[in-house]
Amino acid sequence: MGLRVVIPARYASTRLPGKPLADIAGQPMIVRVAAAARRAKTDGVWVATDDERIAAAVRQHGFDAVMTRADHASGTDRIAEVAEQLAWDDEDIVVNVQGDEPLLDPALIEAVAAALHGDPDAVMATAAHPLDAAADLFNPNVVKVVCDLRGRALYFSRAPIPWDRDRFAKTRDQLPADLPARRHIGLYAYRVSFLRRFGQLAPSPLERCESLEQLRALWHGYPIQVVSVDHPPAPGVDTPEDLERVRRLFDAGKDSE
């Protein structure tokens, strides 16, 4: 069984065009992300893209790039094409790393992969961390997840879950100390066999209304293992302001790469 990391990267971005090639302390952001991923214990890191400019930048800095079709609806579909092109085995595990997270902790890659490896019946794994701020629980831009006794996801939602009926009837200014509220971290590990099936699954009504692709797997009865981590990951780059903040961190020597 192999462990691979694939980083989907598109040139287009509504809020930050050309984001993968944005300079961060002398290197394109996508290269910074690949460098962070390479510090994890894996069998390799690949960038999956449909843009020759991104592929050229990645290869120039010593990383592998795979050219994929331009019509993929999601990063998951793009990763599935990479697995087919490179003829990976069904039992191989692939971790999907977002291309806008240059501050990614490599240990998170290893934790998500280990969670999937440790649950033979799960087809996917992801991560979450405890929520301690009421504002985050009630923020629809913060995705929440609730799990069962085995650590498998019961549901992902933008709504505040779980809902403490009695205490929230009195106040919503702070979270009860024992509320098992967790924020989902958008890092995924897949078995290659499931990647090959995922694109053939019909989108679910839940997926459409929540705009959460992982609900497709739950809708069709596929288990998702969720590993808990103590702290939230470093924020990614979605806006020009985010990019400037990350640039300042690198310029100040916050990252060794």
Side-chain angles (χ1 to χ4, degrees):
M1 183 200 75
L3 170 57
R4 337 276 186 172
V5 173
V6 179
I7 309 169
R10 297 174 62 249
Y11 189 84
S13 172
T14 302
R15 288 179 288 184
L16 195 59
K19 181 165 65 171
L21 299 181
D23 181 85
I24 297 178
Q27 292 185 3
M29 179 161 57
I30 189 65
V31 172
R32 291 290 182 184
V33 176
R38 190 160 63 180
R39 295 199 294 271
K41 297 176 182 177
T42 73
D43 296 307
V45 176
W46 289 260
V47 172
T49 186
D50 57 5
D51 192 288
E52 290 285 358
R53 292 165 292 184
I54 295 174
V58 166
R59 291 167 180 152
Q60 180 183 352
H61 288 84
F63 292 95
D64 293 318
V66 179
M67 293 300 300
T68 56
R69 301 197 317 269
D71 60 348
H72 286 303
S74 70
T76 306
D77 296 315
R78 197 174 301 280
I79 292 171
E81 183 185 348
V82 172
E84 287 300 312
Q85 283 195 40
L86 301 183
W88 289 339
D89 293 337
D90 278 353
E91 292 308 307
D92 286 346
I93 289 176
V94 180
V95 178
N96 175 359
V97 169
Q98 300 300 312
D100 57 5
E101 297 185 3
L103 299 173
L104 174 72
D105 182 357
L108 190 57
I109 294 174
E110 298 173 7
V112 171
L116 182 55
H117 180 67
D119 187 346
D121 294 326
V123 296
M124 292 174 56
T126 189
H129 69 86
L131 277 177
D132 55 14
D136 288 335
L137 183 70
F138 295 103
N139 183 351
N141 294 317
V142 174
V143 178
K144 279 70 67 172
V145 58
V146 290
C147 300
D148 66 13
L149 184 63
R150 295 169 294 181
R152 293 178 179 175
L154 291 170
Y155 193 62
F156 298 86
S157 184
R158 300 182 182 278
I161 56 173
W163 182 263
D164 193 317
R165 184 194 64 177
D166 295 336
R167 284 181 284 193
F168 284 157
K170 299 175 182 177
T171 180
R172 301 179 191 177
D173 293 335
Q174 61 184 19
L175 298 184
D178 58 348
L179 184 72
R182 293 194 290 171
R183 179 178 187 162
H184 176 232
I185 300 171
L187 186 78
Y188 298 96
Y190 307 87
R191 298 189 195 280
V192 169
S193 58
F194 180 67
L195 275 176
R196 294 189 170 114
R197 293 197 297 270
F198 185 82
Q200 301 171 7
L201 299 176
S204 77
L206 297 175
E207 172 189 357
R208 291 192 181 100
C209 70
E210 294 262 20
S211 293
L212 297 174
E213 187 181 31
Q214 64 270 33
L215 289 174
R216 188 184 312 180
L218 293 183
W219 175 264
H220 289 279
Y222 291 101
I224 300 175
Q225 182 61 234
V226 181
V227 61
S228 290
V229 297
D230 293 334
H231 305 290
V237 176
D238 290 319
T239 66
E241 292 76 19
D242 293 337
L243 179 59
E244 288 306 314
R245 174 183 45 80
V246 170
R247 283 172 169 163
R248 288 194 296 270
L249 288 173
F250 273 86
D251 288 342
K254 297 295 185 183
D255 193 281
S256 61
E257 290 293 315

